[in-house]
Amino acid sequence: MAKVPPRNPKYSAVDLWPPGSKGNVDFPPAAFFPVYLGNFLCQQQGELVSRVQQYFAAKGLLARMVFVRSAQNDAFRNYQDRTKLYDCLVYFTRELDALDAVKYLHRDKYHGHRLNIFPGRDRHYFSPNETVEVIGQLPGVCGDAPAQMYEDEIRKSCQLPLACVARNVPDQVLLEFRSRKEKETGVRIAYGKGIRLMSITTQIAKQRFIEADIGQEIRKRKQFVENLPHLHVVWKLVARNLVTPSFHQALKKGKPAPSGTLPRNPANHDHVIQAMKRVMAVAAQRQLDIGLYRAMFPNAYKQFMAILQASIGDKEAVGFLQSYVAPWQFRQNQLNPWEWMHVQLHNEGLDHIHSVIRQRQANHSTSWN
């Protein structure tokens, strides 16, 4: 797991509004330091800003604000909404924070997908000497699958590490090797296994956009600078002893509670644990691979919990279930019988969760008779 050195000095109230960020300012974001963040998994697009800030807070960095492009201005959003993998500009108050985000967190793995983190104002390019484009379809990977599935397949086939992988347009996946020699080796090995990798001939940007590309869009929505991080973001920084009391109090004052969420029913956790134990027991009986199951259903706990919460009216849980897509579903038409056995294994856990809901409903009906 990628780590960032502790911040010194700690964050204070001053870090919320650096000079030049308030008042009659032509372009308030100019007072901050952005990075481009790509390949970030978020099941609900409306939670993207909060999830991004929580990720960086967990690493010890204050992501002061996040700019997400609107669907009206970004045709690529259609693909992102299908895969739940988004990109954005993340603004830091301190220049060192932005530099460290790129230095320490680029290629960090978040919910099974490696992040792309680059400067938000300076364009970085794939080197033609080390970069290839995937031509055609990889065995067992559907055409519009996330870039991570392509990376996993290439790494498995070629036994070589990759320096960067990106899918910045729907019909192109780029793979950057660590050196020209490793690229040539990878292309040769892949070709022998029926995989076509073609060297790129021109420089292609690693960031899908930088601040200058979307400057007008930012100007029209520059009020996003006024959106301070939510308290649950700050709590992660507080837990790491990275903020001063003045910072905490400045944010805590007047912060509303999140809407649409009911308090989590403590009993639900116990039911989910029972469902997971059932999955483990059945896996042992059928001699299935728990590692494969976890790879196919990395959010099993969250899905089970959301089903229980939704049954008692939790709107956030309902929204999660409406948009949730498990990794295996991107290639369900290519699943082999062994993988389908693990889908059936997951259904054992779902059956337990639904039996809990049915029992609750029966008890509720009885109490009214």
Side-chain angles (χ1 to χ4, degrees):
M1 181 181 294
K3 295 183 179 180
V4 178
R7 302 296 90 180
N8 186 21
K10 297 179 182 180
Y11 295 114
S12 68
V14 178
D15 285 288
L16 296 176
W17 297 105
S21 61
K22 295 183 70 174
N24 187 20
V25 180
D26 178 57
F27 192 69
F32 299 86
F33 300 92
V35 301
Y36 169 84
L37 170 65
N39 213 37
F40 190 91
L41 182 69
C42 184
Q43 293 293 340
Q44 287 187 267
Q45 196 277 337
E47 297 180 355
L48 180 58
V49 171
S50 177
R51 297 294 183 188
V52 168
Q53 290 178 316
Q54 289 183 63
Y55 164 77
F56 283 106
K59 299 295 184 179
L61 295 175
L62 169 64
R64 169 60 176 78
M65 59 215 190
V66 179
F67 186 84
V68 181
R69 300 195 66 189
S70 65
Q72 293 82 359
N73 295 313
D74 189 2
F76 193 60
R77 262 288 292 279
N78 184 44
Y79 175 79
Q80 292 181 326
D81 287 339
R82 294 201 310 272
T83 61
K84 310 302 178 185
L85 294 165
Y86 296 94
D87 57 3
C88 55
L89 290 181
V90 183
Y91 286 84
F92 298 93
T93 304
R94 302 179 184 180
E95 184 176 15
L96 180 61
D97 287 3
L99 294 173
D100 280 353
V102 175
K103 180 178 180 179
Y104 294 104
L105 300 180
H106 173 60
R107 300 283 291 163
D108 186 29
K109 212 164 193 180
Y110 179 76
H111 290 304
H113 297 265
R114 293 200 180 276
L115 302 176
N116 286 327
I117 303 180
F118 298 104
R121 292 193 175 118
D122 300 321
R123 212 179 304 275
H124 283 213
Y125 294 91
F126 284 101
S127 168
N129 290 330
E130 287 91 34
T131 306
V132 297
E133 176 183 356
V134 179
I135 304 299
Q137 195 166 330
L138 294 185
V141 179
C142 62
D144 63 349
Q148 188 63 48
M149 291 189 175
Y150 282 81
E151 175 174 353
D152 292 343
E153 188 63 31
I154 295 298
R155 286 173 63 97
K156 183 175 68 175
S157 299
C158 301
Q159 295 297 304
L160 289 170
L162 295 167
C164 185
V165 178
R167 184 171 205 154
N168 291 336
V169 294
D171 58 352
Q172 184 183 62
V173 177
L174 297 177
L175 312 169
E176 183 179 57
F177 290 87
R178 296 184 305 181
S179 67
R180 182 170 188 165
K181 182 178 180 180
E182 289 190 357
K183 183 200 77 170
E184 293 171 348
T185 301
V187 170
R188 185 176 65 255
I189 295 174
Y191 182 78
K193 297 184 178 182
I195 299 172
R196 294 182 61 200
L197 303 178
M198 181 179 292
S199 298
I200 63 173
T201 57
T202 60
Q203 285 189 329
I204 301 175
K206 292 183 175 180
Q207 305 104 309
R208 198 168 66 86
F209 54 82
I210 59 174
E211 187 182 64
D213 298 329
I214 58 172
Q216 290 304 314
E217 187 177 351
I218 293 175
R219 287 180 186 277
K220 291 178 181 178
R221 295 166 48 204
K222 62 183 181 181
Q223 68 274 11
F224 86 101
V225 175
E226 301 173 6
N227 297 328
L228 299 178
H230 198 280
L231 281 178
H232 55 228
V233 174
V234 181
W235 290 334
K236 290 183 180 293
L237 296 172
V238 171
R240 296 172 64 94
N241 195 29
L242 292 174
V243 301
T244 63
S246 67
F247 180 94
H248 192 203
Q249 291 302 319
L251 279 176
K252 188 174 182 180
K253 186 177 181 180
K255 278 286 182 180
S259 60
T261 304
L262 296 178
R264 177 168 289 182
N265 185 337
N268 284 348
H269 171 75
D270 297 332
H271 291 309
V272 172
I273 294 300
Q274 287 301 316
M276 299 301 293
K277 287 182 177 179
R278 178 176 176 80
V279 168
M280 298 286 284
V282 173
Q285 292 171 2
R286 300 177 184 174
Q287 296 184 329
L288 299 178
D289 185 346
I290 285 297
L292 175 59
Y293 171 77
R294 288 171 176 164
M296 294 176 68
F297 300 93
N299 292 315
Y301 178 94
K302 188 172 183 180
Q303 182 189 13
F304 292 162
M305 179 63 76
I307 293 172
L308 289 171
Q309 285 292 111
S311 71
I312 59 173
D314 189 327
K315 295 180 181 178
E316 184 177 340
V318 171
F320 169 81
L321 293 172
Q322 289 174 342
S323 61
Y324 175 66
V325 181
W328 71 272
Q329 291 175 288
F330 288 110
R331 50 183 297 269
Q332 56 184 318
N333 294 332
Q334 291 87 32
L335 292 184
N336 57 45
W338 175 246
E339 290 170 320
W340 274 115
M341 291 175 69
H342 290 77
V343 174
Q344 294 167 358
L345 174 64
H346 186 66
N347 290 339
E348 295 284 343
L350 289 173
D351 288 344
H352 177 81
I353 295 298
H354 288 298
S355 70
V356 171
I357 295 174
R358 288 193 297 270
Q359 185 61 50
R360 283 179 176 174
Q361 292 171 340
N363 293 342
H364 181 74
S365 298
T366 302
S367 66
W368 281 91
N369 292 333

